[in-house]
């Protein structure tokens, strides 16, 4: 039965409600995740905390119509990354805020994917927004039943989404720095300065003077 059905005990402190305990645990979970499998860890911990069968973290294509997972978790185990049609999920374009609902089809929310069979028809989707407020990805929880407490789910997913976006932006900054280093190593004279400025401008998302 949604969150309360499967989530393990959050160990409420004296005077602390169950929801307060889950929010405290969410904060602990996102701070504890790390390393090269950080997205997988976050997907697994979110699935456990919400008490759902599956969770995924995905990057959106520039047009917002397709996505590819950075991590997926189902029934206590990682799932190989896959591409999917983001329009199959209401709110899948990342511009509609937190959304919940049912897939409304026998094959569930994501037919033809590792999370499509057996069908998981109920979902909650939270956008992943960059510092400019633009959607870069999706955080989704899927189950064979609806969530008992959608408000709590939205708050918990927001906590996880903030950490996930920080990791995505850190990865992009690291990639931009590597590209800058490669550009400088292959350039000569005045070209070094120009290439370095260009890559730094790309990394910082600013226009070159």
């Amino acid at each position: 039965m949604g969150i309360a059905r499967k989530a393990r005990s959050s160990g409420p402190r004296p005077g602390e409600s169950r929801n307060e305990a889950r929010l405290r645990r969410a904060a602990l979970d996102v701070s504890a995740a790390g390393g090269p499998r950080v997205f997988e860890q976050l997907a697994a911990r979110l699935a456990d905390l919400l008490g759902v069968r599956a969770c995924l973290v995905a990057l959106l294509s520039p047009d917002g119509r397709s996505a590819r997972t950075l991590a997926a978790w189902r029934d206590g185990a990682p799932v190989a990354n896959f591409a999917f049609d983001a329009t199959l999920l209401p709110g899948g374009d990342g511009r509609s805020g937190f959304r919940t609902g049912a897939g409304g089809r026998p094959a569930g929310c994501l037919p033809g994917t590792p999370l499509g069979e057996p069908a998981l028809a109920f979902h909650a989707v939270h956008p992943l927004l960059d510092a400019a407020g633009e959607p870069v990805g999706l955080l989704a929880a899927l189950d064979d039943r609806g969530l008992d407490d959608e408000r709590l789910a939205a708050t918990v997913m927001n906590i996880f989404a903030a950490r996930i976006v920080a990791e995505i932006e850190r990865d992009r900054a690291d990639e931009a720095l590597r590209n800058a280093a490669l550009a400088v190593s292959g350039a000569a004279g005045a070209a070094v300065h120009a290439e370095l400025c260009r890559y730094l401008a790309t990394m910082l998302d600013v226009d070159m003077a």
Side-chain angles (χ1 to χ4, degrees), residues 68-83:
R68 182 169 183 80
T69 59
L70 294 171
W73 190 265
R74 177 168 182 159
D75 295 329
V79 173
N81 286 324
F82 59 92

Side-chain angles (χ1 to χ4, degrees), residues 36-54:
R37 299 172 67 180
V38 62
F39 297 117
E40 179 183 300
Q41 292 173 25
L42 290 168
R45 293 178 187 205
L46 180 61
D48 186 44
L49 184 56
L50 293 183
V52 297
R53 293 184 60 185

Side-chain angles (χ1 to χ4, degrees), residues 19-199:
N19 282 2
E20 289 171 338
R22 287 176 180 141
L23 293 177
R24 174 170 54 82
R25 185 184 146 201
L28 292 173
D29 281 350
V30 298
S31 64
R37 299 172 67 180
V38 62
F39 297 117
E40 179 183 300
Q41 292 173 25
L42 290 168
R45 293 178 187 205
L46 180 61
D48 186 44
L49 184 56
L50 293 183
V52 297
R53 293 184 60 185
C55 280
L56 66 83
V57 179
L59 284 178
L60 282 168
S61 62
D63 65 5
R65 297 188 61 81
S66 62
R68 182 169 183 80
T69 59
L70 294 171
W73 190 265
R74 177 168 182 159
D75 295 329
V79 173
N81 286 324
F82 59 92
F84 64 95
D85 181 353
T87 65
L88 293 175
L89 294 173
D93 61 0
R95 297 184 180 277
S96 304
F98 175 78
R99 295 281 299 275
T100 62
R105 55 177 69 87
C109 301
L110 296 173
T113 74
L115 299 187
E117 296 292 341
L120 296 176
F122 293 90
H123 62 266
V125 179
H126 195 293
L128 301 176
L129 306 177
D130 64 15
E134 290 298 313
V136 295
L138 303 170
L139 176 61
L142 299 93
D143 200 55
D144 47 14
R145 303 186 190 183
L147 299 170
D148 286 338
D149 192 335
E150 293 185 3
R151 186 175 180 181
L152 176 63
T155 303
V156 168
M157 292 179 77
N158 189 54
I159 293 171
F160 276 75
R163 173 63 193 278
I164 291 167
V165 170
E167 290 295 331
I168 291 172
E169 294 191 330
R170 181 179 295 111
D171 287 348
R172 289 181 172 179
D174 289 345
E175 182 179 2
L177 286 172
R178 286 192 296 271
N179 289 337
L182 289 172
V184 169
S185 67
V192 171
H193 181 264
E195 285 295 311
L196 181 58
C197 287
R198 184 167 68 85
Y199 277 104

